[in-house]
Amino acid sequence: DVKVTQSSRYLVKRTGEKVFLECVQDMDHENMFWYRQDPGLGLRLIYFSYDVKMKEKGDIPEGYSVSREKKERFSLILESASTNQTSMYLCASLNRALGGTEAFFGQGTRLTVV
Amino acid sequence: DAKTTQPPSMDCAEGRAANLPCNHSTISGNEYVYWYRQIHSQGPQYIIHGLKNNETNEMASLIITEDRKSSTLILPHATLRDTAVYYCIVRVGSGGGADGLTFGKGTHLIIQP
């Protein structure tokens, strides 16, 4: 069974704090993704990575950065958390194979910035 | 990735077939159609995907039109547990991998008892 594990299910942080959201996958997938989900807005792609140390901006990268030092781990960083970053954050991984494959998601981290 | 258009919400009676449409008129020849669903408070879950032929698995059937500009996900006997947001996305399925995985707002399917 593929596992995508997010380090926390719920997190409360203060405005201005540096926040790290961690995601680990155990299937040797090349591609990993970070999304945020807000009511009425669907899943929005923040950043993704297609290899170690490689990263690409998604649709809403402002206020975020990412780190992919090892293949299995993809971290989302909020350099200075703000209240408008209160959201559900979802991580996903995908095998970059021929023929079409499915993405696997973690259970999500609900972040509240106060 | 090509864009998709889905109705924001649909109702279906329990036990009936739920047919969820998706428009992807700008799909490219090497892009697959994928369907995922998200049950409240969980991460999205893969359902099915296809390139041009119709596909069926234990969860659902996928019907892709001959011109590939639209598709329909069919849940043959909907249950209350099928109430979820269903996402249709198109993506290059082959290697090369430096492309994102973009979801729209999906269709909120509500199964009525």
Side-chain angles (χ1 to χ4, degrees), chain B:
Chain B
D1 289 353
K3 285 190 174 176
T4 62
T5 306
Q6 298 177 255
S9 65
M10 291 181 65
D11 287 350
C12 179
E14 189 177 16
R16 305 298 292 266
N19 296 280
L20 292 95
C22 180
N23 247 296
H24 31 79
S25 57
T26 59
I27 191 170
S28 301
N30 61 350
E31 287 181 316
Y32 286 69
V33 180
Y34 291 81
W35 283 84
Y36 289 79
R37 76 177 181 186
Q38 187 176 23
I39 295 169
H40 184 62
S41 300
Q42 297 181 21
Q45 173 194 23
Y46 165 83
I47 301 173
I48 198 167
H49 75 280
L51 184 62
K52 47 184 155 182
N53 297 323
N54 298 338
E55 301 287 344
T56 295
N57 63 20
E58 64 279 2
M59 288 181 71
S61 295
L62 173 61
I63 308 297
I64 303 173
T65 58
E66 197 168 331
D67 62 8
R68 302 210 324 123
K69 292 185 176 181
S70 65
S71 60
T72 302
L73 179 75
I74 301 171
L75 309 178
H77 306 286
T79 71
L80 297 178
R81 286 177 296 180
D82 292 322
T83 292
V85 178
Y86 287 77
Y87 297 96
C88 165
I89 64 173
V90 292
R91 186 176 189 271
V92 174
S94 62
D99 48 335
L101 181 63
T102 302
F103 289 73
K105 296 182 183 178
T107 296
H108 187 195
L109 175 67
I110 299 170
I111 306 301
Q112 305 281 2

Side-chain angles (χ1 to χ4, degrees), chain A residues 58-69:
Chain A
D59 299 316
I60 51 162
E62 297 78 19
Y64 303 94
S65 62
V66 289
S67 172
R68 184 107 182 260
E69 295 297 316

